[in-house]
């Protein structure tokens, strides 16, 4: 009996201990353990000093949710970013070279406890700051004028040129079809499929800050431009061997002038092709020495001219030439320029704007792309092929007589010009201030 009483007491004691541990002193359950704090991750390291400007900066959160992210420079300028569907924040803008940045983020844990995050870093300092300009800007120009993004040195690789092209954009009112194309390795131009519609408004956005253009060479600022197309389409035709020029506005003939063009020699013959007026000077001095002709050469000249309008980088102008009035309409006696009578030259000068089209015909000497603004020397399809983003054409293999497939020839890179339209070197592409007298 004593043993049974002892066992019963032990069972009762054990049962009482189990009941007390579940209910607690007040008969309540034990609280859940707190959720871990939200944790932040960034794609750049704390204190990094050589981050590439084209780095895809991201910020994410684990064990919770990301709420806000601000990435700003010391002046408080914030760069644009967005939170993606997976909850990760990504930078949309480009970083600037040689700049310090701070990331500040907020979020909360799974139980709603707030958390914050901060990280400092700096982008690399470029060895060379790449510069560029966007033209025309703030002007009224003719219907042949392309948009020109011109770099002071070459954009070195096809990938770099493609990256530049992805970031530039055009807005036209009214809308018009057109395409970017590389005129040379340092010139990215946009031309409409056909000549601009008169009175078109054009806005150019070229946010290239942070884009790499060569080894240790980066762009450090953004640029843009805005301009207007003239209210009339002025297109002139110079018949080189016919010694005449016909001027049309909106398709209607408004003037016909006798002219004298370049002599039929290898050096002086006027080039054929569609050109545009790129410069106007009411007075200028034309010196053959600027073209490498020594002063003791029989072909040397130094001439003062009025009403000069440049149409090539090689020194072809339309201008007044009272000394050759006797030849105008009959013979070509100039060094490549279009000679006009004083009155005709003055009328042409006053009625023309930069970007007006001058089409030269009936000359066996063809203008080359690098000899001026050559966007109208090729068809629209050929121009589109000069885009760094153009897709390469791939032909299907054709079966040979042996039954085996013959590989299709490889297509040239879109950034590589065709042999008939060579790209300009840096020196040749730069507008020349020299010009032959005519």
């Amino acid at each position: 009996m004593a043993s049974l009483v002892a066992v019963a007491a032990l069972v009762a004691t054990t049962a009482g201990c189990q009941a007390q541990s579940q209910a607690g002193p007040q008969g309540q359950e034990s609280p859940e353990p707190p959720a871990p704090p939200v944790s932040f991750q960034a794609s750049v390291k704390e204190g990094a000093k050589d981050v590439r400007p084209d780095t895809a900066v991201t910020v994410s959160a684990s064990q919770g949710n990301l709420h806000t992210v601000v990435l700003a420079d010391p002046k408080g300028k914030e760069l644009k970013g967005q939170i993606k569907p997976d909850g990760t924040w990504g930078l949309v803008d480009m970083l600037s070279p040689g700049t310090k940045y701070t990331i500040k983020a907020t979020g909360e844990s799974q139980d709603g406890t707030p958390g914050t995050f901060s990280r400092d870093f700096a982008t690399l300092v470029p060895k060379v700051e790449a510069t560029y300009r966007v033209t025309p800007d703030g002007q009224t120009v003719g219907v042949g004028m392309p948009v020109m993004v011109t770099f002071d040195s070459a954009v070195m690789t096809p990938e770099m040129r493609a990256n530049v092209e992805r970031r530039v954009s055009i807005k036209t009112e009214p809308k018009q079809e057109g395409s970017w194309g590389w005129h040379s390795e340092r010139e990215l131009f946009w031309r409409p499929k056909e000549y601009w519609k008169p009175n078109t408004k054009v806005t150019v956005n070229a946010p290239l800050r942070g884009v790499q253009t060569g080894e240790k060479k980066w762009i450090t600022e953004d640029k843009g431009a805005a301009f207007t197309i003239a209210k009339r389409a002025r297109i002139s035709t110079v018949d080189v061997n016919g010694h005449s020029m016909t001027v049309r506005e909106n398709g209607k003939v408004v003037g016909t002038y006798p002219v004298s063009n370049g002599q039929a020699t290898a050096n002086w013959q006027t080039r054929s092709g569609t050109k545009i007026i790129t410069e106007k000077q009411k007075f200028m001095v034309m010196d053959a020495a600027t073209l490498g002709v020594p002063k003791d050469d029989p072909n040397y000249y130094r001439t003062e001219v009025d009403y000069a309008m440049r149409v090539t980088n090689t020194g072809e102008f339309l201008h007044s030439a009272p000394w050759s009035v006797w030849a105008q309409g009959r013979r070509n006696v100039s060094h490549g320029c279009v000679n006009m009578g004083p009155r005709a030259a003055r009328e042409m000068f006053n009625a023309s704007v930069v970007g007006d089209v001058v089409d030269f015909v009936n000359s066996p000497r063809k203008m080359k792309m690098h000899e001026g603004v050559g966007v109208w020397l090729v068809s629209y399809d050929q121009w589109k092929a000069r885009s760094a983003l153009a897709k390469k054409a791939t032909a299907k293999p054709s079966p040979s007589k042996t039954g085996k497939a013959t590989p299709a020839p490889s297509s040239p890179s879109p950034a590589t010009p065709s042999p008939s339209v060579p790209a300009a070197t840096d020196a040749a592409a730069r507008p020349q201030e020299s010009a032959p007298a005519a």
Side-chain angles (χ1 to χ4, degrees):
M1 287 297 293
S3 298
L4 291 174
V5 171
V7 171
L10 179 61
V11 172
T13 301
T14 303
C17 291
Q18 290 174 343
Q20 184 175 359
S21 66
Q22 291 174 355
Q26 287 81 29
Q28 299 178 351
E29 295 184 358
S30 300
E32 293 289 336
V38 60
S39 176
F40 299 90
Q41 297 82 38
S43 61
V44 291
K45 296 180 180 180
E46 171 64 34
K49 297 181 179 180
D50 58 352
V51 175
R52 287 173 57 99
D54 56 2
T55 297
V57 179
T58 61
V59 179
S60 60
S62 58
Q63 299 177 349
N65 298 313
L66 186 65
H67 283 178
T68 65
V69 178
V70 175
L71 192 159
D73 64 16
K75 296 181 180 180
K77 181 180 179 180
E78 298 181 10
L79 300 189
K80 183 180 179 180
Q82 61 182 9
I83 296 179
K84 302 175 183 178
D86 65 358
T88 300
W89 180 90
L91 179 64
V92 175
D93 286 338
M94 297 282 280
L95 300 169
S96 293
T99 305
K100 295 180 180 179
Y101 288 100
T102 298
I103 300 173
K104 293 185 178 181
T106 64
E108 66 178 15
S109 64
Q110 293 177 353
D111 64 359
T113 302
T116 60
F117 171 80
S118 180
R119 177 154 296 180
D120 296 322
F121 68 95
T123 52
L124 58 81
V125 177
K127 185 176 181 180
V128 178
E129 292 187 11
T131 56
Y132 68 105
R133 58 191 180 277
V134 183
T135 53
D137 187 19
Q139 298 170 263
T140 297
V141 297
V143 296
M145 192 70 185
V147 174
M148 300 186 288
V149 181
T150 307
F151 297 84
D152 287 340
S153 60
V155 182
M156 294 303 298
T157 69
E159 292 77 13
M160 291 175 181
R161 291 191 286 274
N163 195 28
V164 167
E165 200 171 328
R166 289 187 188 98
R167 299 193 65 82
V168 294
S169 61
I170 297 289
K171 180 181 178 182
T172 67
E173 297 178 8
K175 291 184 178 180
Q176 291 173 67
E177 182 181 353
S179 173
W180 291 103
W182 287 87
H183 193 259
S184 72
E185 290 184 348
R186 54 181 290 271
E187 298 169 305
L188 175 62
F189 292 174
W190 191 97
R191 56 154 275 195
K193 183 178 181 180
E194 300 173 344
Y195 296 140
W196 292 103
K197 296 176 182 178
N199 208 35
T200 297
K201 310 296 181 184
V202 184
T203 304
V204 189
N205 188 28
L208 299 180
R209 181 190 73 248
V211 173
Q212 185 177 18
T213 62
E215 185 177 0
K216 298 181 180 180
K217 185 171 62 174
W218 301 79
I219 297 171
T220 59
E221 59 182 335
D222 294 335
K223 293 186 177 181
F227 60 94
T228 303
I229 304 302
K231 294 181 179 180
R232 85 292 185 271
R234 186 176 177 88
I235 301 172
S236 303
T237 302
V238 175
D239 186 341
V240 176
N241 288 334
H243 321 298
S244 68
M245 180 170 69
T246 302
V247 184
R248 294 178 174 84
E249 286 194 1
N250 301 326
K252 181 181 179 180
V253 175
V254 294
T256 302
Y257 305 106
V259 298
S260 181
N261 303 293
Q263 304 167 46
T265 65
N267 292 330
W268 304 128
Q269 192 166 40
T270 303
R271 297 163 176 81
S272 64
T274 302
K275 310 168 189 177
I276 65 170
I277 296 174
T278 57
E279 175 189 351
K280 292 177 60 184
Q281 292 193 41
K282 196 170 184 179
F283 171 82
M284 72 179 301
V285 177
M286 295 183 173
D287 192 337
T290 61
L291 297 176
V293 180
K295 292 184 178 181
D296 58 356
D297 190 298
N299 289 313
Y300 174 78
Y301 53 82
R302 187 179 186 278
T303 308
E304 297 179 352
V305 302
D306 296 324
Y307 307 118
M309 292 165 280
R310 182 189 290 274
V311 290
T312 73
N313 293 341
T314 58
E316 291 183 7
F317 281 72
L318 288 69
H319 64 78
S320 174
W323 58 84
S324 69
V325 169
W326 65 271
Q328 293 166 21
R330 296 189 299 165
R331 292 178 57 188
N332 290 331
V333 299
S334 82
H335 293 93
C337 291
V338 177
N339 281 191
M340 305 178 69
R343 180 178 177 180
R346 182 175 64 251
E347 290 178 357
M348 184 73 179
F349 185 91
N350 290 337
S352 298
V353 296
V354 169
D356 281 345
V357 177
V358 185
D359 193 19
F360 288 72
V361 299
N362 293 328
S363 170
R365 187 184 186 188
K366 306 295 183 184
M367 176 183 168
K368 298 177 181 179
M369 183 73 77
H370 70 275
E371 293 177 331
V373 177
V375 297
W376 304 107
L377 297 177
V378 295
S379 69
Y380 182 58
D381 286 341
Q382 289 172 319
W383 178 253
K384 289 193 298 181
R386 298 178 75 91
S387 165
L389 303 178
K391 295 181 179 180
K392 296 180 180 180
T394 54
K396 294 182 179 180
S398 57
S400 65
K401 293 181 180 180
T402 60
K404 296 181 179 180
T406 302
S410 59
S411 301
S413 167
T416 303
S418 62
S420 61
V421 188
T425 62
D426 284 1
R430 295 180 184 272
Q432 303 296 312
E433 294 303 321
S434 58

